[in-house]
Amino acid sequence: MRYDIVIIGGAIVGSSIAYYLREEGFSGSIALIERDPQFAHAATTLSCASIRQQFSIPENIRLSQFTLKLFRRLTEEFGADADIGFREGGYLILAGENGLPILKANHDAQMAEGADIVLEDADALVRRFPWLSAEGITAGAYGRTGEGWFDAHAMLMLFRKALRSKKIDFITADVTGIERQGDRATSVSLDNGETLEAGTVINAAGPNAGKVAAMAGLVLPVEPRKRNVFVFEAREKYADMPLLVDPSGIYVRPEGSVYITGGAEPEEGDGPADPADFEPDWPLFEEVIWPVLATRIPAFEAIKPTRAWAGHYDYNTLDQNAVIGPHPHVGNFLFANGFSGHGLQQAPAVGKALAELIVHGGYRTVDCSAFGYGRVAEGRAFRELNVI
Ligand SMILES: Cc1cc2nc3c(=O)[nH]c(=O)nc-3n(C[C@H](O)[C@H](O)[C@H](O)COP(=O)(O)OP(=O)(O)OC[C@H]3O[C@@H](n4cnc5c(N)ncnc54)[C@H](O)[C@@H]3O)c2cc1C
């Protein structure tokens, strides 16, 4: 078999690339290869499914703004019954005295991109959110519109369903090897013994992207990092509660009638995860997260944890930012990797960007040049400061 484009990984990033390739008019053959067709272990379905504009880098803000626009015209794009349950609840990122200069600089960058974020001091925040304790807080940035959360599985299914009528070959298999001849990737080998010749290979393998790149003899500093999400019930229901990020890095937000929380994984021991380890670390909740929640929202002193899950970030160890575009020497091997915790909200924009690059030879909607592999080769970080 020969395909013009072989995409490795069929979750949100791979599906979005396939979708926009067809939208941009690509008429060649496309194979979308996925080893876990239920997406039981994909970062996409294990994520917290939130979208924000509160990034430090304008390019990241623009990627999210593209997706936000898509969310606002979802039925136009995907049909009248398209619904991902988008709740525009906002983010509230809190800072103490030390974090204030960064919060302000980020806010300036967000305002320059037209985001609807207000920066308020502690008193104003408590007036706005009377359930909040301002202990140790100097200011906070609150997204009045354009930020919130949604159903990740529903979003993935929208793209996957749309692909059914777009002449894409869905292949259920594990990619076990990538062959190269000099500066070209020529084929991929599958665990079922088949080999697919490829005109272009796209790495959309999420947390496994570093390993997939290595199959082609390429270095990509992306590894799985385990991240826990805990679900709890509380008597108090705060309908106005945004996704709150404490200066400690711990976040909490409503999810229907319950709440979810996580963050602040200890730096010590935060290395590459065992790809098979999806066991939640309950001590993290009891010893680290709960005390912070009870301080920040006193009513959360009495909460009932009910369940938890763990997923893997597609963590870029260089700078916690995406790597997008071709390898400088192996030009038919493209990356869409390393999103480090914000890839779900960036996937539609990245799919569109890569499709434009392939079909038109350049980025048209969101310029992703700054995310190019060149910086990896040079060891030059393009750092996002707001990694949650
Ligand atoms: C706990 C948690 C919370 C998160 N919260 C958010 C959030 O609130 N907002 C946000 O924007 N992002 C969030 N993220 C990050 C986001 O989920 C990811 O950045 C995004 O889903 C990456 O999408 P992907 O398609 O690249 O990766 P994945 O969803 O992991 O998909 C990669 C796919 O590739 C397949 N694959 C891998 N290797 C092979 C191979 N060799 N052969 C065949 N198939 C292969 C895998 O089976 C998988 O299905 C979170 C992530 C986690 C873990």
Side-chain angles (χ1 to χ4, degrees), residues 53-99:
Q53 315 221 0
Q54 296 196 52
F55 288 98
S56 63
I57 292 177
E59 286 82 352
N60 277 331
I61 302 170
R62 289 174 204 149
L63 290 174
S64 282
Q65 286 178 338
F66 174 91
T67 301
L68 178 68
K69 279 193 205 131
L70 176 70
F71 284 4
R72 291 191 166 146
R73 40 176 286 281
L74 212 58
T75 51
E76 227 173 280
E77 183 87 22
F78 292 105
D81 58 351
D83 182 13
I84 56 163
F86 180 39
R87 281 215 45 208
E88 220 162 319
Y91 271 60
L92 171 60
I93 299 188
L94 299 172
E97 204 53 49
N98 289 346

Side-chain angles (χ1 to χ4, degrees), residues 5 21 38 109 122 154 169 179-180 182 221 284 286 291 305 312 333 341-342:
I5 296 185
L21 276 168
Q38 304 302 319
D169 276 8
E179 291 71 40
R180 267 195 39 207
L284 186 67
E286 280 136 26
H312 295 158
F333 189 96
H342 40 270

Side-chain angles (χ1 to χ4, degrees), residues 15 59 71 82 89 100 110 123 128 165 215 231 235 304 323:
S15 295
E59 286 82 352
F71 284 4
L100 190 60
Q110 293 146 16
D123 290 346
R128 189 187 281 278
S165 58
M215 290 177 196
V231 183
R235 235 189 345 262
K304 186 173 144 209
V323 179

Side-chain angles (χ1 to χ4, degrees), residues 9 11 13 34 43-44 47-48 50 174-175 206-208 314 341-345:
V13 170
E34 174 53 56
T44 297
S47 87
C48 292
S50 308
D174 196 354
V175 172
N208 196 36
D314 40 356
H342 40 270
L344 186 60
Q345 64 196 283

Side-chain angles (χ1 to χ4, degrees), residues 294-354:
T295 305
R296 190 56 57 220
I297 303 170
F300 283 175
E301 185 88 45
I303 57 177
K304 186 173 144 209
T306 52
R307 66 183 193 91
W309 75 86
H312 295 158
Y313 267 18
D314 40 356
Y315 195 88
N316 177 347
T317 58
L318 174 67
D319 55 14
Q320 293 81 61
N321 237 338
V323 179
I324 301 170
H327 187 274
H329 305 304
V330 186
N332 71 334
F333 189 96
L334 275 65
F335 301 94
N337 308 118
F339 298 95
S340 310
H342 40 270
L344 186 60
Q345 64 196 283
Q346 297 191 331
V350 171
K352 172 94 169 158
L354 274 190

Side-chain angles (χ1 to χ4, degrees), residues 66-315:
F66 174 91
T67 301
L68 178 68
K69 279 193 205 131
L70 176 70
F71 284 4
R72 291 191 166 146
R73 40 176 286 281
L74 212 58
T75 51
E76 227 173 280
E77 183 87 22
F78 292 105
D81 58 351
D83 182 13
I84 56 163
F86 180 39
R87 281 215 45 208
E88 220 162 319
Y91 271 60
L92 171 60
I93 299 188
L94 299 172
E97 204 53 49
N98 289 346
L100 190 60
I102 290 182
L103 190 76
K104 275 188 173 158
N106 292 351
H107 183 249
D108 288 347
Q110 293 146 16
M111 296 306 280
E113 296 301 318
D116 183 15
I117 315 286
V118 284
L119 192 62
E120 293 185 335
D121 66 18
D123 290 346
L125 288 174
V126 174
R127 276 196 302 278
R128 189 187 281 278
F129 300 116
W131 39 262
L132 181 76
S133 159
E135 191 184 321
I137 297 302
T138 308
Y142 169 54
R144 289 183 296 199
T145 60
E147 302 187 312
W149 46 93
F150 52 94
D151 180 336
H153 190 260
M155 178 182 171
L156 175 60
M157 288 308 126
L158 270 191
F159 277 93
R160 301 272 306 176
K161 202 171 139 207
L163 289 181
R164 282 193 214 142
S165 58
K166 290 190 181 297
K167 285 189 67 190
I168 308 287
D169 276 8
F170 293 91
I171 297 175
T172 301
D174 196 354
V175 172
T176 51
I178 300 172
E179 291 71 40
R180 267 195 39 207
Q181 280 174 14
D183 59 3
R184 290 195 66 75
T186 50
S187 62
V188 304
S189 321
L190 309 181
D191 61 343
N192 60 14
E194 283 179 18
T195 297
L196 308 179
E197 283 179 35
T200 295
V201 176
I202 304 180
N203 184 351
N208 196 36
K211 285 210 171 123
V212 166
M215 290 177 196
L218 304 174
V219 174
L220 180 69
V222 173
E223 63 187 30
R225 292 263 177 118
K226 190 169 155 187
R227 293 295 179 264
N228 299 271
V229 185
F230 302 94
V231 183
F232 68 88
E233 292 172 2
R235 235 189 345 262
E236 293 71 18
K237 306 279 176 257
Y238 300 121
D240 63 342
M241 188 175 167
L243 189 156
L244 180 152
V245 187
D246 184 79
S248 61
I250 288 165
Y251 66 83
V252 59
R253 73 159 170 84
E255 173 66 40
S257 61
V258 296
Y259 297 88
I260 62 172
T261 182
E265 264 76 9
E267 261 177 49
E268 197 185 318
D270 186 28
D274 171 352
D277 177 11
F278 291 91
E279 200 54 47
D281 296 328
W282 275 104
L284 186 67
F285 177 79
E286 280 136 26
E287 291 159 20
V288 182
I289 296 180
W290 194 349
V292 171
L293 292 182
T295 305
R296 190 56 57 220
I297 303 170
F300 283 175
E301 185 88 45
I303 57 177
K304 186 173 144 209
T306 52
R307 66 183 193 91
W309 75 86
H312 295 158
Y313 267 18
D314 40 356
Y315 195 88

